């Protein structure tokens, strides 16, 4: 079996064949750090963390890079409003970003380059584009000649003539053509700036990623990814810049995830439904949020609502309960059974189903379906009178392995009960053994008021917080 990736460039699924056998160069556009990330920003972080995990699971060595844009108009505006230095503001929100995405189970990239660390390379890159005739200086600004690049529009599947409709030169811009875009911006008074051959200024947004990709991963990479909103103009402009500079293909596979709606409406500040991850993870278990994101194929839009999140929570708890019950039975010195091979074969079949789903353009929704199937099989097995340690361990290790590919944990840390709760649970056990069911029910209700829920399972009494 080979992995199939839907390539935005060709608009079809293609077998994934990296440039170098067994190795993957992958770049994901990161955040502009002037605020906490919102739930829409979190989707590509979770999606491409999962893609990276799965590629690694399938044996690839992945060099994963995701940048920080730490200088732009919004950053400068916010820093001025707060009376902070740009560097202070960006440091604060880079730290906040890592706190949020770590809570969501996302691993750090192999490199997190910042624009301000690559200023010399950006200036050199722009200089080469000018020398080649793809860019020009105009009163301290530098623009890219869009029409000169013959392949412009190939990612977004638009022609230059179509793009010309509606394009206009804004007040203060000094372009030759309305379609041209800024590579370097002349500094306004009081703005953070860098010296360049064209005067003090700072880079345009699009040039930054082209430079950082080439600096860290080389002229051509395997996968370039980001949100659907970046397809045009950001990624289109990256292609134009990079391929004009190197004369080589910039990225072989382009991946774009769909949008997030909030209660079936587009998320926007004007609608008052702008949800920050830093806020929502205080109300929702971040693992549930991740599981929710995995429940829909990454290219499809996803609707965030309380009901759907609650469904995700219930689904994740179902799988985790199966895992916990397996662990509980394993502790009780399981007896040997006669049907181990049959069950081990069933486990392998589900594992094959999971890999087949994920090989098909990282279909996490079907991958989760395989986890539910495995959980259901485990529950059926636990109903047998005789169980075998090998089968229990295999169920557990496979659940943990496949959930881990999706960035979901099975080993939820046990909470320490205080002495009062511990004593009540023990008293209830004794009451049931003495057939004092009235007292047992009283204790159950008392614990429920304390937000402790008890479950009488075939493996004994289990508890969880409500």
């Amino acid at each position: 079996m080979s992995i199939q990736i839907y390539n935005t460039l060709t608009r079809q699924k293609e077998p994934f064949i990296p440039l170098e056998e067994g190795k993957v160069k992958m770049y994901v556009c990161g955040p502009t750090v002037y605020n906490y990330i919102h739930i829409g920003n979190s989707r590509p972080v979770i999606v491409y963390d999962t893609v990276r995990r799965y590629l690694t699971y399938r044996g690839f060595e992945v060099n994963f890079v995701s940048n920080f844009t730490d200088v732009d108009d919004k950053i400068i505006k916010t820093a001025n409003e707060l009376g902070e230095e740009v560097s202070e503001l960006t440091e604060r929100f880079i730290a906040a970003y890592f706190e949020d995405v770590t809570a969501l189970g996302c691993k750090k990239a192999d490199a997190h380059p910042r624009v301000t660390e690559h200023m010399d390379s950006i200036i050199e890159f722009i200089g080469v584009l000018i020398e080649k005739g793809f860019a020009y200086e105009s009163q301290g600004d530098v623009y890219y000649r869009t029409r000169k690049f013959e392949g412009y529009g190939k990612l977004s599947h638009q022609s230059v003539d179509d793009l010309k409709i509606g394009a206009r030169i804004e007040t203060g811009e000094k372009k030759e053509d309305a379609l041209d875009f800024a590579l370097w911006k002349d500094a306004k008074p009081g703005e953070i700036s860098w010296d360049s051959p064209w005067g003090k200024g700072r880079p345009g947004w699009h040039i930054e990623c082209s430079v950082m990709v080439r600096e860290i991963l080389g002229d051509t990479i395997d996968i370039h990814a980001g949100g659907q909103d970046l397809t045009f103009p950001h990624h289109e402009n990256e292609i134009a810049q990079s391929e004009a500079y190197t004369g080589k293909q910039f990225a072989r596979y382009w991946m774009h995830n769909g949008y997030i709606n909030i209660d079936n409406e587009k998320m926007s500040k004007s609608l008052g439904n702008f949800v920050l991850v830093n806020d929502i993870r205080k109300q929702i278990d971040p693992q549930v949020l991740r599981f929710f994101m995995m429940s829909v194929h990454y290219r499809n839009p996803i609707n965030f609502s309380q009901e759907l999140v609650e469904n995700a929570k219930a689904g994740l708890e179902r799988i985790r309960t199966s895992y916990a019950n397996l662990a509980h039975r394993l502790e009780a010195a399981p007896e040997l059974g006669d049907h181990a091979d049959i069950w081990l074969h069933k486990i392998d079949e589900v594992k094959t189903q999971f890999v087949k789903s994920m090989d098909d353009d990282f279909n996490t929704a079907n991958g989760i379906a395989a986890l539910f199937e495995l959980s259901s099989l485990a529950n059926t097995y636990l109903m047998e009178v005789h169980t075998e340690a090998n089968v229990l361990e295999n169920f557990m290790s496979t659940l943990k392995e496949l959930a881990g590919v999706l960035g979901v944990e099975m080993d939820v840390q046990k909470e320490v009960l205080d002495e009062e709760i511990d004593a009540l649970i023990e008293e209830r056990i004794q009451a049931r053994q003495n057939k004092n069911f009235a007292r047992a029910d009283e204790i159950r209700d008392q614990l429920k008021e304390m937000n402790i829920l008890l479950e009488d399972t075939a493996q004994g009494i289990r508890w969880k917080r409500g």
Side-chain angles (χ1 to χ4, degrees), residues 151-194:
Y152 196 81
K154 62 184 176 181
L155 182 67
S156 55
H157 300 269
Q158 303 176 85
S159 70
V160 170
D161 290 334
D162 289 338
L163 291 169
K164 184 180 178 181
I165 299 171
R168 64 182 187 275
I169 298 176
E170 301 290 345
T171 304
E173 292 183 321
K174 299 151 272 189
K175 303 179 181 180
E176 294 176 352
D177 190 305
L179 290 178
D180 296 348
F181 58 88
L183 301 176
W184 187 261
K185 297 180 178 182
D186 186 28
K188 297 183 179 72
E191 279 188 349
I192 184 172
S193 62
W194 287 261

Side-chain angles (χ1 to χ4, degrees), residues 7-68:
N7 191 349
T8 307
L9 189 66
T10 59
R11 291 193 175 178
Q12 62 184 12
K13 289 181 188 176
E14 300 175 1
F16 178 59
I17 305 169
L19 281 166
E20 188 176 349
E21 187 175 354
K23 296 186 177 183
V24 179
K25 295 178 178 180
M26 183 173 179
Y27 184 90
V28 177
C29 288
T32 300
V33 282
Y34 66 98
N35 199 348
Y36 295 103
I37 61 168
H38 56 68
I39 197 165
N41 302 137
S42 75
R43 192 179 191 193
V45 182
I46 292 170
V47 163
Y48 301 118
D49 176 74
T50 305
V51 169
R52 174 199 194 180
R53 285 171 181 267
Y54 187 67
L55 290 171
T56 303
Y57 176 73
R58 294 285 268 118
F60 292 98
E61 181 186 324
V62 184
N63 190 353
F64 186 88
V65 177
S66 184
N67 74 297
F68 290 117

Side-chain angles (χ1 to χ4, degrees), residues 218-351:
D219 291 343
T220 304
I221 63 173
D222 297 298
I223 299 172
H224 198 312
Q228 183 181 333
D229 57 312
L230 298 182
T231 308
F232 183 87
H234 185 53
H235 289 164
E236 193 75 70
N237 290 351
E238 280 188 65
I239 290 174
Q241 295 161 163
S242 296
E243 296 188 1
Y245 182 98
T246 66
K248 301 173 185 176
Q249 184 177 18
F250 179 42
R252 303 179 72 228
Y253 301 86
W254 287 86
M255 297 179 67
H256 295 93
N257 61 275
Y259 294 111
I260 287 185
N261 295 320
I262 308 294
D263 292 322
N264 294 309
E265 288 189 305
K266 184 179 179 182
M267 185 175 69
S268 71
K269 289 181 179 178
S270 61
L271 291 174
N273 63 356
F274 206 71
V275 181
L276 297 178
V277 173
N278 195 261
D279 293 331
I280 201 70
R281 67 183 179 87
K282 295 169 186 173
Q283 305 162 30
I284 299 170
D285 178 355
Q287 282 272 292
V288 170
L289 188 57
R290 183 178 183 116
F291 192 75
F292 164 74
M293 293 286 190
M294 295 290 96
S295 67
V296 175
H297 190 279
Y298 77 89
R299 282 193 287 115
N300 295 333
I302 188 169
N303 184 47
F304 180 87
S305 71
Q306 192 63 40
E307 181 185 357
L308 294 174
V309 170
E310 285 298 323
N311 289 342
K313 180 182 178 182
L316 180 55
E317 282 183 358
R318 223 169 89 200
I319 296 168
R320 282 176 167 173
T321 298
S322 296
Y323 183 88
N325 287 340
L326 289 162
H328 191 79
R329 176 69 68 90
L330 190 60
E331 289 175 359
E335 301 175 40
L336 295 179
D338 299 322
H339 310 295
D341 289 346
I342 295 172
W343 288 99
L344 293 176
H345 178 68
K346 289 179 178 180
I347 293 170
D348 282 341
E349 283 184 331
V350 176
K351 192 172 180 178

